[in-house]
């Protein structure tokens, strides 16, 4: 957090304004700030003020979390962006490319899970006795724990 006496605070947003415009709770904003995902400045009265670029960053956080990208990866991506300005379309393309392979892998695993969910959870096996075709004699159990058929090979 910065304190600045020369910053034009009339162009900055209060924590309440950011919460309202982003649809996030004030506590979430404080959490993201504590994690270094967003930053604020302090007014002379020690109140948080945010640049308008924070709204785009919060939008990216919300979208990334919705598709399962961990905060640590979001932070690593944000570390590649210049501070103090709204990310551009080129910045977003760079970020999305960083996540593309991971998302493709997640989509593949989720598709396998969806397609096999009715008859089998991917064989760990949760129902050894009723799954003689997928896991006869619990042979997959010897390979390790978890849903073995959904793991990348």
């Amino acid at each position: 957090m910065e304190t600045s006496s020369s910053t034009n605070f009339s162009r900055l947003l209060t924590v309440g304004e950011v919460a309202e415009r982003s649809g996030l709770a004030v506590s979430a904003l404080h959490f993201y700030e504590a994690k270094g995902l967003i930053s604020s400045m302090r007014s002379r009265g020690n109140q948080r003020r945010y640049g308008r670029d924070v709204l785009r960053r919060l939008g990216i956080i919300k979208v990334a979390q919705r598709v399962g990208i961990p905060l640590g990866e979001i932070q690593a991506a944000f570390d590649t962006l210049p501070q103090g300005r709204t990310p551009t379309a080129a910045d977003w393309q760079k970020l999305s490319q960083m996540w593309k392979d991971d998302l493709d892998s997640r989509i593949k695993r989720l598709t396998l899970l969806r397609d096999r969910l009715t008859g089998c959870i991917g064989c760990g096996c949760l129902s050894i006795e009723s799954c003689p075709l997928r896991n006869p004699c619990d042979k997959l159990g010897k390979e390790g724990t978890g849903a073995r058929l959904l793991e990348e090979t």
Side-chain angles (χ1 to χ4, degrees):
M1 258 178 274
E2 301 173 29
T3 304
S4 175
S5 58
S6 62
T7 304
N8 184 354
F9 279 97
S10 65
R11 297 191 59 195
L12 299 175
L13 302 169
T14 66
V15 68
E17 290 170 326
V18 173
E20 183 179 338
R21 291 190 58 189
S22 68
L24 293 166
V26 170
S27 60
L29 299 177
H30 293 171
F31 174 78
Y32 292 147
E33 190 169 347
K35 293 291 184 184
L37 293 162
I38 62 173
S39 62
S40 68
M41 292 177 268
R42 293 288 184 153
S43 69
R44 287 186 184 170
N46 202 31
Q47 296 173 330
R48 284 183 169 90
R49 294 291 188 262
Y50 295 91
R52 295 179 184 279
D53 62 293
V54 77
L55 296 172
R56 180 69 50 90
R57 289 175 189 268
L58 291 169
I60 293 169
I61 292 168
K62 287 173 73 172
V63 168
Q65 284 190 303
R66 194 171 295 138
V67 298
I69 297 172
L71 285 179
E73 289 182 31
I74 297 169
Q75 177 62 57
F78 279 2
D79 287 345
T80 69
L81 295 175
Q83 294 298 313
R85 72 161 171 79
T86 302
T88 64
D91 293 330
W92 174 244
Q93 177 147 0
K94 183 178 174 183
L95 289 182
S96 63
Q97 190 60 43
M98 289 173 60
W99 293 329
K100 184 182 181 315
D101 291 340
D102 180 54
L103 291 174
D104 286 342
S105 176
R106 288 173 197 230
I107 289 166
K108 181 179 174 184
R109 287 192 313 269
L110 286 170
T111 300
L112 280 170
L113 176 60
R114 181 204 61 210
D115 293 348
R116 295 177 181 169
L117 191 58
T118 306
C120 178
I121 194 66
C123 259
C125 181
L126 297 179
S127 57
I128 295 169
E129 293 175 22
S130 64
C131 191
L133 296 175
R134 289 234 182 246
N135 192 20
C137 302
D138 192 26
K139 68 180 180 186
L140 292 171
K142 295 177 180 108
E143 294 178 18
T145 60
R148 306 304 303 160
L149 295 178
L150 295 178
E151 297 293 322
E152 300 276 336
T153 55

